[in-house]
Amino acid sequence: MKYPPIQNYINGAFVNASTNRNLDVISPIDGIALSSVPMSNAKDLDEAVVAAKAAFPIWSKFPIKERVQVFFRYKYLLERNLKQLAELVQEENGKTYGEAVAEVEKSIELTEFACSLPQLVTGEILEVSKEVECRTEHVPLGVVASIVPFNFPSMVPNWTIPNAIARLEIA
């Protein structure tokens, strides 16, 4: 294999899945075995959800302005590593290099949007009739998941995860 086997990332650490079943990742460009990914099961998912639920109370208390700071750094890392990330997308998916660059650039744009959330997410008070108000408040909800299709390995997670983690609120 060109790259080491992938592990699950749970509670801030890489961990082995509870199963020994793996799926080989084969490059559609040349048929080379790139790596293997664990065929995680319900036990692995439950472990990840328990860890996320445990982290939620602390993370949700941070103001949104502080939560997005994580994504400013993340955006910088995406920009700094754009070429290498595009090459990985190309190798794993068989996209042209231009398509892979466009996907990573879209990931950067989506992360930039998450960084702008403090300016976009505000509550509202609307007087709907005399002395009657409708109020919109944004409150943390809890654990979220993102199902990523194989053909957009960079764009879709960046479409969902930065917004969900930075915002943690109902729209």
Side-chain angles (χ1 to χ4, degrees):
M1 301 264 170
K2 185 172 179 180
Y3 303 104
I6 303 299
Q7 293 179 290
N8 291 334
Y9 190 76
I10 299 174
N11 202 23
F14 288 101
V15 297
N16 291 323
S18 60
T19 176
N20 289 328
R21 292 183 45 218
N22 292 300
L23 177 68
D24 287 342
V25 178
I26 307 298
S27 174
I29 294 173
D30 53 19
I32 290 175
L34 298 174
S35 185
S36 65
V37 295
M39 299 297 290
S40 300
N41 57 26
K43 181 177 183 263
D44 300 312
L45 177 62
D46 289 344
E47 185 180 335
V49 169
V50 165
K53 281 183 178 180
F56 178 75
I58 295 167
W59 181 251
S60 67
K61 285 183 178 39
F62 283 98
I64 191 170
K65 183 179 180 225
E66 291 180 37
R67 291 194 304 261
V68 300
Q69 293 305 309
V70 172
F71 294 101
F72 278 106
R73 173 74 175 148
Y74 176 63
K75 178 182 170 287
Y76 163 76
L77 292 171
L78 288 172
E79 290 168 336
R80 188 179 80 188
N81 297 293
L82 186 143
K83 181 180 183 296
Q84 297 90 332
L85 292 167
E87 288 169 354
L88 288 170
V89 169
Q90 179 184 26
E91 183 177 45
E92 181 182 349
N93 289 95
K95 292 183 177 196
T96 65
Y97 183 72
E99 290 171 328
V101 167
E103 180 168 345
V104 177
E105 286 175 339
K106 186 64 177 180
S107 299
I108 293 166
E109 178 186 327
L110 294 163
T111 303
E112 187 173 284
F113 176 81
C115 292
S116 71
L117 285 172
Q119 286 73 41
L120 301 174
V121 178
T122 60
E124 290 182 278
I125 300 173
L126 178 65
E127 187 174 12
V128 294
S129 60
K130 189 170 174 70
E131 297 185 33
V132 177
E133 294 178 343
C134 285
R135 186 178 296 256
T136 303
E137 293 182 3
H138 300 276
V139 295
L141 290 176
V143 176
V144 298
S146 178
I147 298 173
V148 180
F150 79 95
N151 57 336
F152 288 100
S154 180
M155 189 176 69
V156 170
N158 285 286
W159 206 339
T160 55
I161 295 169
N163 290 311
I165 293 175
R167 191 170 180 175
L168 288 173
E169 301 167 327
I170 337 176

